[in-house]
Amino acid sequence: MINYILKRLMYILLALFVIVTVTFFLMRLAPGSPFANERNFPPQIEEKLNETYGLNNPWYIQYKDYLIDTATFNFGESMKYKARSTNDMIAESFPVSLTLGIEAMLLAIGFGVLIGVISALYHNKFPDYLATSIAVLGISVPSFILAGLMQYFLAYKLDIFPTAGWNGFIYSILPALAIAFSHAGFIAKLTRSSMLEQNSSDYVKMARAKGLGKWTVVFRHTLRNALLPVVTYLGPLTAGVVTGSFIVEQIFAVPGLGKHFVQSITNRDYTVIMGTTVFYSIILLFAVFIVDILYSIIDPRIKLKGAKK
Amino acid sequence: METRKKVVEVKDLRINFKTYAGLVQAVRGVNFELYEGETLAIVGESGSGKSVTSNALMKLIPQPPGIYASGEILFDGKDLVKLTEKQMTKIRGNDIAMIFQDPMTSLNPTMKVGRQITEVILQHRSMPKAEAKQKAIQLIDQVGIPFPEKRYNQYPHEFSGGMRQRIVIAIALAADPKLLIADEPTTALDVTIQAQILELMKEIQKTSKTSIIFITHDLGVVANVADRVAVMYAGQIVEYGTVNDIFYNPKHPYTWGLLGSMPDLDNDAEELLHTIPGSPPDLTHPPKGDAFAARNEFAMAIDYEQEPPMFQVSDTHFAKTWLLHPDAPDVAIPEIVAKRIRTFAEKEAQYND
C-alpha cells in the first residue's frame, strides 16, 4: 500500500510538471499581455512594467523562474490587481467555493443515487419513467437557466431564499441546488444502468432466494457493486465542483474561486493563471488518486499494484 | 413407505411469460409430488421449462413478465401461489432453499462469505451474531472446507469454483430447509468436482432428511442422486417414475432419445453419438397434439391431432404417449437404447457384486 501511494505521488509530480510546462507555453503563445487592455500607457511605462514582472527576459529564463515559483508555491503578485498575491486570492476565495461545492456534491450524490436506485427497482414502470425524466431534465437544462428560474420564483416571488450574496448557510442553498441538479442527473443515469446490470446477476437472485426483502437486497448487496462506475465519475467531478463554478458564482454573486479561472485568462494575468492551474491540477490529481484507493475498498477483488497483501 | 410425509405437491402448474413475440407458455400443466427425504430429478433439454418450474416453487419468477396462469403449489399444505411477497420472504431461504447453477456468479463478490451465510441465519432465526457466526463456521466445516475460521473472513474470489459451490450449499443449508432446490448445481463444474458435490449433497440428505428437487440435463447425475425422475419436454412432464422405471423400462420416445444420446465411455469409438432430430417447439404457439410428435420417429396420426393423456405403466411409473394406448401398435425400443439399458444392468450387477 505504502509503495503504491509513493509511486502514485511520483506520477502526480510528473503530471504536474507536464501541466505547468504546457500551461506556460500556451500562455506565451496567446497574444496580448496583462497590460494590453489598460489605458494607453506611454511605451516607457509599459517597458518598465514588463521589466518589473520579468516579461522582457528570454523565454527560458522566464520558464525557469516559473518552475521555481511553482515548486515553492510562491506564484507572486497578481499582475492585474495591485498588491494582491495569487496565494491570497486563492486562500480567500477557495473556502467559499469549497463549502458550496461540498454542499452541491452531497446533494448531487444523495439525490442522484436515490433517483437511480428507484428507477432501477421499478424498471420500466411509472416511477422509472418519472425518475428518468427528472434526470434527463437535470442533464439538459443548463445551470444558469435553472439558477435564473430559482432566483425569480424561490427568491424573488416566494421570498424563501435570499436572491444573491454570500452571508451564511441560507445563501448557499440556491447556488448549491443549481450546481447539483445536472450532476445529480448524471449520477442518477449512471446508478440506474449500473444497478440494472447488477440486478440481472445471479447473486441478486440468490439474495432474494435467501428470503431478503427487496430493499434489503438493494442496500446490502446490489448498491455496493453498482457504485463502482459512479465512484469513477465522482473523482473528477468533485475536483471540478469544489473549485467553483464561474457561471453559478457570477449569478449568485458568490465570492468564490470560479471567476478567477476565467478572468485571469482574459486579463492575461500570468501569475494568477499559473496559480489557479496548479491549484486545480493538484486537486484533480488527488481526487483521481483517492478514487483509485476507494476502488480497492469497495471491491476487494481490486488489488492495488505494488500493494503488499 | 406409505406413511411418508408429503412435502410438496404441484398441481396443474401453468406459467406464461409475456414477451413482444407473444405469450410464451413455458410451463404447461405440471403435476408432481415430493416426499420427505426424497430426491426428485427433473430432466430435460434447455427450454423445457425445468428451471422455470423450480423458480416457480420459490416464486422467484419476476411478475411481470411472468404470469402464474393456473395451478397450485402446496407446500406443507399451504398454497404458495396465493401467498404475498412478504409471506414468501419467510419461506424463502427458511423452508425452501435454492442452489444455483454457476457458483462463480451466485455469490456477492464484495461481501465476505461468512457474512453471506450468517445473513440467512439472522434473517430467519433470532440469535445473537456471535452464535450465528459459530453456526456459519460449523456449516463451512460441514460442507468440507478446511480452515473454516479463516475461510469465514474471505471473499468469494479467494475460493475455487468447487469451493464456492460448497459455500452456496452451506448458505442453502443455513436455515435447515425442508426442501432444497438444486438448479443444475454441477453443470458449471468439472467432472471431479461434480462427483464431490454430488457426494456432499447425498451425505447432507442422509443426515438432515431434506427433500431435494434436482434440476439437470445430465442423466448420469440423475442415476447417481435421484429416487424418482420426471422427464420434461416443452413445458410438460412426459414421463414420471422411479430411477429404475426410467432407466430400465423407459416408455416415452423422448426418454428413449435422451438415454440414447448419453455419451458413454464404453461406446464404440466408430459409433456416432445418437441425437434427437429437430429442435424443441416454439412455446408461443405450442403444436396441436403431442408436442414431441414432430421429432418422434414413432409418431402416429393421432399424435398430430390430440394431446396424449398420462398413461399409467405401474404404480410408480407414468408416461404421456399414445404408444401406451391399448390400440397402439407394439413399438420395440430402438436397439441403441436397448443396448444402453443392457449396459446399465451389467454395470449395476458388477457394482453389486
Side-chain angles (χ1 to χ4, degrees):
Chain A
M1 195 70 173
I2 303 283
N3 275 345
Y4 175 78
I5 291 175
L6 286 177
K7 210 161 117 194
R8 281 299 299 265
L9 287 175
M10 291 275 291
Y11 282 125
I12 287 178
L13 281 180
L14 191 71
L16 272 176
F17 171 72
V18 173
I19 291 169
V20 169
T21 307
V22 171
T23 317
F24 173 80
F25 287 105
L26 283 176
M27 287 193 313
R28 295 293 102 182
L29 280 175
S33 92
F35 320 113
N37 58 348
E38 294 293 322
R39 302 171 299 273
N40 278 340
F41 285 133
Q44 295 90 333
I45 291 184
E46 195 169 341
E47 188 63 20
K48 190 82 184 151
L49 276 170
N50 279 342
E51 205 174 297
T52 320
Y53 287 104
L55 295 176
N56 282 341
N57 296 333
W59 68 266
Y60 48 88
I61 301 286
Q62 288 190 35
Y63 179 53
K64 183 206 75 183
D65 289 343
Y66 266 116
L67 283 184
I68 291 170
D69 288 351
T70 310
T72 53
F73 289 104
N74 172 25
F75 298 101
E77 292 203 352
S78 163
M79 296 184 181
K80 200 72 191 173
Y81 303 103
K82 292 270 142 47
R84 293 192 62 194
S85 83
T86 307
N87 286 354
D88 284 346
M89 286 166 71
I90 293 176
E92 209 169 86
S93 55
F94 177 60
V96 175
S97 287
L98 183 69
T99 317
L100 187 59
I102 289 176
E103 233 173 85
M105 282 311 290
L106 289 179
L107 283 171
I109 296 172
F111 281 109
V113 170
L114 186 72
I115 291 174
V117 166
I118 289 176
S119 63
L121 262 192
Y122 295 93
H123 186 214
N124 282 345
K125 290 185 195 146
F126 177 72
D128 181 20
Y129 296 135
L130 184 72
T132 313
S133 309
I134 294 175
V136 170
L137 209 65
I139 296 167
S140 43
V141 173
S143 59
F144 56 88
I145 297 210
L146 188 72
L149 288 174
M150 286 199 301
Q151 271 182 330
Y152 183 73
F153 288 106
L154 298 179
Y156 176 67
K157 285 279 183 192
L158 297 175
D159 206 15
I160 307 172
F161 299 104
T163 319
W166 189 254
N167 200 8
F169 176 69
I170 189 99
Y171 285 83
S172 68
I173 294 175
L174 286 189
L177 276 174
I179 298 171
F181 199 53
S182 68
H183 299 314
F186 267 114
I187 294 173
K189 293 289 274 178
L190 263 177
T191 311
R192 176 179 180 269
S193 59
S194 171
M195 281 284 291
L196 284 178
E197 198 184 307
Q198 294 295 330
N199 268 344
S200 59
S201 60
D202 277 354
Y203 73 86
V204 173
K205 200 171 163 192
M206 172 100 168
R208 307 265 295 132
K210 284 176 175 176
L212 303 179
K214 204 172 179 175
W215 288 96
T216 320
V217 173
V218 169
F219 288 113
R220 218 181 277 170
H221 290 274
T222 334
L223 199 55
R224 184 165 169 188
N225 288 295
L227 279 185
L228 217 51
V230 180
V231 169
T232 314
Y233 175 70
L234 285 186
L237 179 68
T238 311
V241 169
V242 297
T243 48
S245 148
F246 175 64
I247 294 168
V248 172
E249 285 178 2
Q250 284 290 309
I251 293 176
F252 288 99
V254 175
L257 190 56
K259 67 166 183 281
H260 293 309
F261 284 99
V262 180
Q263 280 177 358
S264 65
I265 291 170
T266 45
N267 288 341
R268 299 287 183 277
D269 195 344
Y270 294 141
T271 47
V272 180
I273 295 179
M274 202 41 98
T276 49
T277 308
V278 169
F279 184 70
Y280 176 72
S281 309
I282 290 175
I283 289 188
L284 179 68
L285 291 169
F286 271 94
V288 173
F289 177 45
I290 288 168
V291 162
D292 283 352
I293 290 177
L294 272 183
Y295 275 169
S296 68
I297 293 172
I298 292 178
D299 191 338
R301 284 170 299 179
I302 296 174
K303 279 269 168 327
L304 300 176
K305 238 188 185 165
K308 277 191 190 132
K309 228 186 149 181
Chain B
M1 275 304 255
E2 298 307 311
T3 52
R4 281 189 312 173
K5 207 175 131 212
K6 211 183 262 186
V7 178
V8 185
E9 189 173 5
V10 175
K11 288 183 186 163
D12 191 37
L13 183 68
R14 280 168 198 278
I15 289 166
N16 299 337
F17 286 93
K18 241 188 223 160
T19 66
Y20 289 110
L23 201 66
V24 179
Q25 303 175 26
V27 173
R28 307 186 295 144
V30 160
N31 295 283
F32 64 83
E33 57 208 17
L34 185 67
Y35 294 92
E36 196 179 45
E38 187 187 40
T39 302
L40 171 74
I42 301 182
V43 203
E45 62 195 289
S46 310
S48 59
K50 51 191 198 307
S51 285
V52 176
T53 309
S54 67
N55 282 330
L57 289 181
M58 282 274 236
K59 291 201 56 192
L60 279 177
I61 308 252
Q63 292 168 277
I67 303 163
Y68 283 77
S70 80
E72 287 182 333
I73 301 168
L74 296 173
F75 179 80
D76 266 354
K78 258 183 301 188
D79 184 4
L80 298 187
V81 176
K82 293 201 186 76
L83 292 191
T84 61
E85 185 59 29
K86 206 166 176 193
Q87 290 167 313
M88 260 329 279
T89 58
K90 293 210 178 75
I91 290 185
R92 282 190 204 124
N94 188 14
D95 293 327
I96 309 180
M98 198 156 179
I99 299 171
F100 289 89
Q101 179 172 355
D102 189 355
M104 304 314 266
T105 57
S106 54
L107 292 172
N108 182 347
T110 59
M111 194 190 267
K112 289 179 177 166
V113 295
R115 184 143 178 250
Q116 300 195 42
I117 300 173
T118 54
E119 184 179 53
V120 190
I121 304 171
L122 294 171
Q123 178 79 15
H124 299 292
R125 305 271 179 280
S126 52
M127 60 166 77
K129 277 197 173 155
E131 204 178 312
K133 183 179 169 178
Q134 277 316 309
K135 170 132 202 236
I137 290 176
Q138 195 191 320
L139 279 164
I140 299 176
D141 191 37
Q142 193 194 336
V143 294
I145 297 177
F147 311 112
E149 278 95 358
K150 188 180 141 215
R151 291 300 211 169
Y152 180 89
N153 279 320
Q154 287 184 334
Y155 288 97
H157 69 273
E158 295 168 275
F159 288 72
S160 68
M163 287 293 173
R164 286 191 209 189
Q165 194 63 305
R166 285 167 194 266
I167 292 290
V168 173
I169 292 173
I171 292 173
L173 294 176
D176 303 312
K178 293 182 189 128
L179 171 63
L180 194 59
I181 300 172
D183 189 354
E184 309 211 20
T186 57
T187 309
L189 304 171
D190 65 63
V191 189
T192 331
I193 309 294
Q194 266 187 25
Q196 291 174 6
I197 296 287
L198 291 179
E199 274 318 303
L200 173 65
M201 291 188 66
K202 281 203 276 191
E203 209 180 286
I204 285 161
Q205 190 173 32
K206 233 187 265 166
T207 49
S208 65
K209 292 255 171 74
T210 313
S211 311
I212 299 182
I213 293 181
F214 207 102
I215 315 280
T216 182
H217 58 249
D218 185 345
L219 283 171
V221 170
V222 173
N224 197 345
V225 297
D227 298 313
R228 280 188 304 138
V229 184
V231 181
M232 270 191 94
Y233 183 75
Q236 293 175 323
I237 291 179
V238 293
E239 188 163 3
Y240 185 55
T242 64
V243 177
N244 286 342
D245 291 336
I246 300 294
F247 278 86
Y248 292 115
N249 188 22
K251 289 295 177 195
H252 197 283
Y254 180 64
T255 316
W256 295 346
L258 285 182
L259 287 171
S261 53
M262 259 172 90
D264 189 331
L265 280 178
D266 302 330
N267 275 6
D268 190 350
E270 301 294 307
E271 194 182 324
L272 282 177
L273 187 64
H274 181 74
T275 55
I276 305 173
S279 52
D282 172 14
L283 291 179
T284 24
H285 307 284
K288 198 179 163 193
D290 186 351
F292 188 58
R295 304 170 73 185
N296 183 0
E297 51 181 315
F298 309 104
M300 299 174 291
I302 189 165
D303 278 319
Y304 295 96
E305 291 301 322
Q306 213 178 328
E307 201 182 303
M310 267 291 182
F311 288 98
Q312 187 162 15
V313 183
S314 71
D315 282 351
T316 52
H317 190 182
F318 301 83
K320 195 180 167 83
T321 169
W322 282 118
L323 290 177
L324 291 172
H325 193 268
D327 295 342
D330 265 340
V331 172
I333 292 187
E335 180 45 32
I336 179 150
V337 183
K339 201 176 120 203
R340 243 325 119 64
I341 292 172
R342 284 197 297 277
T343 350
F344 291 151
E346 278 163 27
K347 268 194 196 157
E348 189 164 338
Q350 266 173 22
Y351 186 79
N352 288 341
D353 276 347

